[in-house]
């Protein structure tokens, strides 16, 4: 079994940054997954000989040895199919995901899901304890692994531990529904630094720790009974802005943009939505708003089309299946009512595409529509802005996406207000070049200055510069 030297930087995430590809001849290889997290962390991983711990994505595989792929040290953690069902689809995506997104869907609470969550978190923590060098930095990612920081600290008080939550952290009134609320808070408090997308989320957390666990807090810092400080603060995530712009400017993408226009019969305007097919993303409401604009005669299918890419997601979870059916019924109805031959009102794809195709779609779209009911950040909105290097194109953005705090010049909408969304869509549709240019220039400045490399550097720098706590060997006890 391959053993790595222990690493000075360890990333712990639910998924490894690679997907397994099985070729027709049965040979197995790995393809880097396209996510922004991977490109953000890759340079720091390389500079620090880092290691990445995660699940390779297939259930019931025998635990296989750590391996090196494209210079990155990867350490697999395996999950049984029961664990995928209870830890991943269950507690992570059936309990925490809806609870943390304003209970847009009803969270389910099952004790056996929680037991699996504890068990799998412990497995990740054990692996990290084994892999981290003395005084190493360990950075744990996201809601699937909130117990890992304390489980890791119990074994390795010498480590610097960071945690980043990619999704919103709910207000106390909602979080308090969780039967295991205290365990989650205490799990997170094992970290030295806890990063959130927005200051409001960090404030929710600090307030909850004060009221539910009883620790002293001052602004963004929590003081544990042994004196160890934990900092909870916002680090809004971003994208590889330069990388997206470069792709958008490439010849291949330019060519593809023309092909897309031609294939659609060269409509005057293209609306675009790109989302994982998830009930938090507001896909149904936005398509309904667009359908009504056609029905009411404000938009003609000869003039405009709506492209909706809905990337398959969590397809074994019942709520996701229901949502897919609802959306597809709606698309069918709108196209049936208003489409003409060669002129559908909505061009709908339930599929995922290479990054180049995404860039071409962003380039082709005159109006980008991002209308989640709640979203930690929303990278799609930022990617659209990064690709609009000619300072054109309109962004319609939900005020409930974290991105709305930075992209203030978008047409901001309340996705629960269909009439408000219709008005904003029409305004964005009709806006002149001067107006869209003014807004896009300002948004581009933000996305260029705050890219994902800066996000990662800011977090890690903050983690490195936190004062070392002198008494790390004592496990904090609770005061209530
Ligand atoms: C979570 C939080 C937070 C989508 N379809 C395809 C594809 N994508 C890419 C997009 C974008 C990413 O997936 C989706 O990121 P979002 O931020 O929009 O949403 P979540 O997946 O819900 O992400 C969110 C994020 O974590 C980061 O912290 O912003 O709030 O919910 O990059 O481009 N990429 C490719 N083909 C597709 O078909 N290549």
């Amino acid at each position: 079994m391959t053993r790595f030297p222990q690493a000075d930087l360890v990333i712990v995430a639910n998924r490894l940054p690679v997907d397994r590809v099985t070729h027709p001849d049965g040979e197995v290889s790995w393809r880097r997954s396209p996510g922004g997290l991977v490109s953000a962390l890759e340079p720091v991983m390389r500079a620090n000989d880092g290691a990445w711990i995660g699940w390779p994505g297939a259930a019931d595989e025998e635990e296989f040895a750590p391996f090196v792929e494209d210079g990155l040290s990867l350490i697999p953690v395996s999950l049984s199919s029961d664990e995928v069902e209870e830890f991943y689809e269950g507690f992570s995506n059936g309990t925490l995901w809806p609870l943390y997104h304003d209970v847009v869907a009803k969270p389910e609470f099952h004790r056996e899901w929680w037991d699996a969550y504890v068990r799998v978190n412990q497995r990740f923590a054990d692996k990290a304890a084994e892999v981290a060098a003395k005084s190493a930095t360990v950075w744990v990612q996201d809601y699937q692994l909130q117990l890992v920081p304390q489980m890791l600290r119990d074994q390795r008080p010498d480590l610097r531990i960071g945690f980043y939550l990619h999704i919103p952290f709910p207000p106390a009134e909602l979080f308090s529904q969780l039967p295991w609320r205290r365990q989650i808070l205490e799990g997170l408090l094992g970290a030295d630094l806890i990063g959130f997308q927005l200051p409001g989320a960090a404030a929710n957390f600090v307030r909850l720790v004060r009221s539910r666990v009883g620790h002293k807090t001052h602004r963004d810092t929590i003081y544990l009974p042994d004196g160890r400080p934990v900092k909870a603060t916002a680090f809004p995530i971003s994208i590889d802005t330069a990388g997206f712009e470069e792709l958008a400017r490439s010849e291949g993408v330019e060519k593809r943009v023309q092909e897309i226009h031609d294939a659609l019969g060269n409509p005057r305007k293209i609306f675009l939505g790109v989302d994982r097919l998830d009930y938090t993303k507001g896909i149904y409401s936005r398509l309904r708003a667009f359908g009504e604009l056609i029905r009411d005669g404000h938009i003609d299918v000869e003039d405009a089309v709506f492209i909706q890419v809905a990337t398959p997601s969590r397809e074994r979870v019942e709520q996701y299946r229901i949502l897919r059916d609802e959306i597809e019924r709606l698309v069918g109805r709108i196209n049936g009512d208003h489409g003409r031959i060669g002129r559908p009102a909505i061009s709908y794809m339930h599929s995922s595409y290479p990054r180049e195709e995404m860039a071409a779609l962003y380039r082709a779209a005159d109006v980008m529509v991002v209308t989640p009911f709640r979203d930690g950040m929303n990278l799609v909105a930022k990617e659209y802005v990064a690709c609009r290097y000619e300072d054109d194109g309109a962004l319609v953005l939900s005020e409930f996406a974290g991105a709305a705090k930075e992209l203030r010049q978008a047409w901001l909408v309340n996705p629960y207000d269909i009439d408000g969304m219709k008005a904003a869509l029409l305004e964005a549709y009709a806006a002149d070049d001067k107006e869209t240019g003014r807004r896009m220039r300002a948004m581009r400045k933000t996305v260029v200055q705050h890219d994902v490399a800066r996000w990662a550097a800011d977090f890690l720098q903050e983690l490195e510069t936190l004062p070392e706590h002198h008494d790390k060997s004592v496990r904090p006890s609770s005061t209530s």
Side-chain angles (χ1 to χ4, degrees), residues 33-37 97 101 141-143 164-168 197 236-239 244 274-278 280-281 309-314 351-358 361-362 370 372 374-383 401-403 455:
S33 29
L37 190 63
W97 179 267
H101 286 90
Q141 307 287 327
D142 228 359
Y143 62 103
Y164 189 78
L165 185 69
H166 291 258
I167 67 174
Q197 299 277 18
I237 201 167
S238 193
I239 56 162
F244 261 99
V274 172
D275 314 77
R276 271 189 311 99
L277 206 163
D278 193 292
T280 60
K281 301 291 183 183
V309 175
T311 309
S313 182
R314 305 174 192 169
S351 185
S352 82
Y353 294 94
R355 235 163 72 98
E356 290 71 22
E357 183 72 359
M358 307 296 282
L361 287 166
Y362 293 143
V370 181
R374 181 59 71 192
D375 215 330
M377 177 53 63
N378 195 290
L379 299 181
V380 165
K382 291 188 170 180
E383 288 164 3
W455 167 80

Side-chain angles (χ1 to χ4, degrees), residues 78-144:
S78 48
L79 298 181
S80 69
S81 46
D82 283 352
E83 286 166 345
V84 172
E85 211 179 306
E86 295 179 347
F87 153 76
Y88 179 67
E89 292 163 356
F91 199 77
S92 298
N93 291 324
T95 305
L96 294 172
W97 179 267
L99 182 70
Y100 282 29
H101 286 90
D102 279 1
V103 296
V104 172
K106 197 169 163 39
E108 287 184 44
F109 304 119
H110 298 294
R111 284 166 286 186
E112 59 283 9
W113 288 4
W114 165 253
D115 293 343
Y117 187 78
V118 175
R119 207 164 56 242
V120 172
N121 271 249
Q122 188 67 57
R123 190 173 312 147
F124 276 85
D126 292 350
K127 198 59 103 179
E130 190 187 310
V131 165
K134 182 152 178 39
S135 306
T137 294
V138 180
W139 191 2
V140 183
Q141 307 287 327
D142 228 359
Y143 62 103
Q144 303 91 350

Side-chain angles (χ1 to χ4, degrees), residues 20-30:
R20 202 140 100 118
V21 188
T22 310
H23 299 275
D25 61 1
E27 203 193 314
V28 167
S29 69
W30 297 91

Side-chain angles (χ1 to χ4, degrees), residues 50-324:
W52 186 305
I53 297 174
W55 174 46
D60 284 331
E61 278 189 336
E62 256 182 55
E63 177 109 11
F64 54 94
F67 59 103
V68 176
E69 177 62 28
D70 192 17
L72 300 178
S73 304
L74 305 178
I75 296 156
V77 170
S78 48
L79 298 181
S80 69
S81 46
D82 283 352
E83 286 166 345
V84 172
E85 211 179 306
E86 295 179 347
F87 153 76
Y88 179 67
E89 292 163 356
F91 199 77
S92 298
N93 291 324
T95 305
L96 294 172
W97 179 267
L99 182 70
Y100 282 29
H101 286 90
D102 279 1
V103 296
V104 172
K106 197 169 163 39
E108 287 184 44
F109 304 119
H110 298 294
R111 284 166 286 186
E112 59 283 9
W113 288 4
W114 165 253
D115 293 343
Y117 187 78
V118 175
R119 207 164 56 242
V120 172
N121 271 249
Q122 188 67 57
R123 190 173 312 147
F124 276 85
D126 292 350
K127 198 59 103 179
E130 190 187 310
V131 165
K134 182 152 178 39
S135 306
T137 294
V138 180
W139 191 2
V140 183
Q141 307 287 327
D142 228 359
Y143 62 103
Q144 303 91 350
L145 301 176
Q146 293 173 99
L147 304 178
V148 170
Q150 186 59 51
M151 289 172 164
L152 186 54
R153 182 168 297 278
D154 286 343
Q155 301 182 57
R156 294 288 308 271
D158 58 303
L159 301 175
R160 264 181 201 269
I161 304 173
F163 179 91
Y164 189 78
L165 185 69
H166 291 258
I167 67 174
F169 191 83
E173 293 71 17
L174 296 180
F175 185 80
S176 301
Q177 289 181 10
L178 188 66
W180 308 277
R181 57 200 180 191
R182 178 147 179 168
Q183 289 94 317
I184 295 278
L185 296 173
E186 288 182 337
L188 289 168
L189 287 171
D192 298 294
L193 177 63
I194 308 174
F196 298 88
Q197 299 277 18
L198 299 180
N204 287 346
F205 176 75
V206 173
R207 194 178 136 216
L208 265 158
V209 168
R210 200 168 47 233
S211 65
R212 294 262 163 224
V213 194
H215 293 330
K216 284 205 179 66
T217 67
H218 178 63
R219 299 209 173 135
D220 60 2
T221 305
I222 297 145
Y223 296 93
L224 300 189
D226 70 348
R228 182 170 69 85
V230 178
K231 194 164 174 180
T233 191
F235 296 86
I237 201 167
S238 193
I239 56 162
D240 174 13
T241 311
F244 261 99
E245 177 163 344
E246 197 186 318
L247 192 60
R249 285 178 183 273
S250 71
E251 224 176 281
V253 166
E254 284 295 314
K255 198 167 141 253
R256 182 67 192 137
V257 173
Q258 195 49 54
E259 285 170 10
I260 292 172
H261 274 112
D262 292 345
L264 293 166
N266 289 301
R268 219 166 45 77
K269 296 255 167 152
I270 296 176
F271 290 76
L272 174 67
V274 172
D275 314 77
R276 271 189 311 99
L277 206 163
D278 193 292
Y279 50 76
T280 60
K281 301 291 183 183
I283 303 170
Y284 187 94
S285 310
R286 96 173 57 126
L287 294 180
R288 206 175 132 198
F290 184 74
E292 288 187 14
L293 286 172
I294 298 178
R295 182 200 66 194
D296 302 345
H298 295 297
I299 291 178
D300 193 309
V301 288
E302 297 295 334
D303 285 337
V305 65
F306 200 120
I307 304 178
Q308 176 65 54
V309 175
T311 309
S313 182
R314 305 174 192 169
E315 293 192 287
R316 286 159 39 125
V317 180
E318 174 77 3
Q319 270 159 334
Y320 286 75
R321 290 205 204 121
I322 295 172
L323 177 72
R324 179 176 174 193

